[in-house]
Amino acid sequence: VPPMRLCERLFRDVIVLEHRKQISNRSLTDPIMLVFYAGNKSQDSGIAEMEELPVPHNIKISNITCDSFKISWDMDSKSKDRITHYFIDLNKKENKNSNKFKHKDVPTKLVAKAVPLPMTVRGHWFLSPRTEYTVAVQTASKQVDGDYVVSEWSEIIEFCTADYSKVHLTQLLEKAEVIAGRMLKLSVFYRNQHKEYFDYIREHHGNAMQPSVKDNSGSHGSPISGKLEGIFFSCNTEFNTGKPPQDSPYGRYRFEVAAEKLFNPNTNLYFGDFYCMYTAYHYVILVVAPVGSPGDEFCKQRLPQLNIKDNKFLTCDEEDGVMVYHHAQDVILEVIYTDPVDLSLGTVAEITGHQLMSLSTANAKKDPSCKTCNISVGR
């Protein structure tokens, strides 16, 4: 064997063995073994093209989740019995607005043993939720010397991974419960904005604040980002006063409304997300939706529902004929109310504290390295 060819083969074997070690530490329930290899079609060592192997066509992607998908395709029957492996070329779709100076994602090429189709491709270490990918496939035949003969690449198709499911959100919920802390009393929900916002509501919306689509803050896989319509409220109180803090990131004017006006036995409560922004503070997003409302129906299909009387974040219960409310002390709660709210239900007044812009969570990106608020799927 020529020295250069021998070095190439050794290099390839080291890559395969190293990734087999990584994969052996992960739980793959599917019968296929996925192995990464480096390079591309024109650079892969030990791989020779051979027209006799059938080229995959009519590729179909199905059963898409946030970290898995099923793939199948059609191919001619000639030389089909010689196929031992499939090569799957998986890449994140290029974003036209991406930072040109940022390192590009390394393409993921998967080697799978030839199993009946469709087959499942699963792996949170190379698949992220709500992300567009391109995929192409080759058929391959492994030779006795370890080299492969391969078909031409198939056509390239595109697909997008899904949001977190209720299963994934329940995992986030359980992590959030661990750090929620003890419960403190509250009496109001509040929403800070600029004076112009409230003037606009009075003039153009008949005094009623309208739901708007939630931004992309929080977990990348959250099913409510960019989809759920609602109005953002806060409810955390200061430990020493039992009242809302006088500072706010969102504006110097505050609408306050009695808690029972928005959160009561006629509403449902849902867990929406758990995240941080590279700081010690952790945020929990909750959704309050009037029973039977469009927001309630949206959440019922996608989010874990909480018992309004017994949960670790925000509770509503009756004591001696009076509704009593509590919130978790050690997380910052972001409450989304899914129906319009009339300003006549509460009061608008200027706060005496500061506008702390640095604490704003508008379109805030979640820290993907935080072990407290991340789960073992795409971030």
Side-chain angles (χ1 to χ4, degrees), residues 266-285:
N266 295 318
T267 55
N268 284 326
L269 180 66
Y270 297 91
F271 173 83
D273 201 3
F274 177 44
Y275 70 100
C276 70
M277 304 181 297
Y278 302 90
T279 67
Y281 302 109
H282 276 86
Y283 297 81
V284 170
I285 298 178

Side-chain angles (χ1 to χ4, degrees), residues 134-174:
T134 62
V135 65
V137 185
Q138 276 181 318
T139 58
S141 177
K142 189 172 185 179
Q143 308 300 291
V144 291
D145 62 357
D147 289 345
Y148 292 89
V149 293
V150 298
S151 72
E152 291 290 334
W153 284 104
S154 70
E155 75 274 21
I156 297 173
I157 67 163
E158 301 176 0
F159 72 98
C160 185
T161 47
D163 298 332
Y164 284 161
S165 68
K166 280 188 180 181
V167 172
H168 301 117
L169 288 172
T170 299
Q171 293 174 22
L172 272 181
L173 164 63
E174 291 169 351

Side-chain angles (χ1 to χ4, degrees), residues 163-210:
D163 298 332
Y164 284 161
S165 68
K166 280 188 180 181
V167 172
H168 301 117
L169 288 172
T170 299
Q171 293 174 22
L172 272 181
L173 164 63
E174 291 169 351
K175 277 182 161 281
E177 288 177 335
V178 173
I179 69 160
R182 70 190 186 106
M183 303 292 279
L184 301 178
K185 278 192 174 184
L186 71 99
S187 59
V188 299
F189 289 104
Y190 53 96
R191 172 177 172 81
N192 277 68
Q193 281 286 349
H194 300 286
K195 180 178 182 296
E196 292 76 14
Y197 168 83
F198 293 109
D199 291 341
Y200 185 85
I201 293 299
R202 294 185 185 99
E203 184 177 349
H204 296 282
H205 290 290
N207 218 45
M209 294 185 291
Q210 300 298 312

Side-chain angles (χ1 to χ4, degrees), residues 61 64-67 69 89-94 105 108 123-136 156-162 220 378:
I61 303 291
I64 300 171
T65 72
C66 66
D67 63 351
F69 61 91
D89 188 8
L90 183 69
N91 296 282
K92 283 187 179 180
K93 188 177 176 183
E94 285 292 332
D105 292 301
T108 300
H124 67 261
W125 62 100
F126 59 83
L127 284 173
S128 297
R130 204 184 268 203
T131 303
E132 292 184 325
Y133 290 92
T134 62
V135 65
I156 297 173
I157 67 163
E158 301 176 0
F159 72 98
C160 185
T161 47
H220 186 59

